[in-house]
Amino acid sequence: MPDQLSPAPTMQIFDAAEIGAFIRLRRKELGYTQEQVAAMSDCSPRLIGEIERGRKTVGIQRVLDLASNLGIDIALSVRGA
């Protein structure tokens, strides 16, 4: 896959839309369809689309499971520390 699709190794995320965009880039980088990722994550393709569009009503656990299935680590840190 071309490097231009690879998300930055680390980036600050400030809202649901940025998380969704990062997940979409990673999914495409891996060559998966929304349907394939939905099957891996035990959810519907519609939910994957909602996450990728940054819909704010999606449960955080679903996002964490999806990120894990795509090999994305989510880390928290204290600003300014």
Side-chain angles (χ1 to χ4, degrees):
M1 289 303 241
D3 283 337
Q4 65 194 21
L5 290 179
S6 297
T10 339
M11 61 185 283
Q12 287 187 298
I13 302 291
F14 296 100
D15 61 27
E18 291 175 346
I19 291 173
F22 192 91
I23 286 172
R24 179 184 301 115
L25 283 173
R26 179 65 176 160
R27 174 180 62 78
K28 288 184 175 188
E29 176 184 59
L30 293 171
Y32 294 139
T33 64
Q34 287 182 342
E35 291 77 13
Q36 289 171 314
V37 173
M40 291 168 45
S41 302
D42 193 30
C43 64
S44 70
R46 180 180 175 185
L47 181 63
I48 301 301
E50 289 176 357
I51 291 169
E52 289 184 357
R53 288 189 303 278
R55 184 161 179 189
K56 294 180 182 179
T57 59
V58 175
I60 190 66
Q61 188 59 52
R62 282 289 187 190
V63 173
L64 293 171
D65 291 345
L66 177 57
S68 178
N69 286 333
L70 294 174
I72 299 169
D73 292 326
I74 297 176
L76 302 176
S77 64
V78 177
R79 278 187 222 127

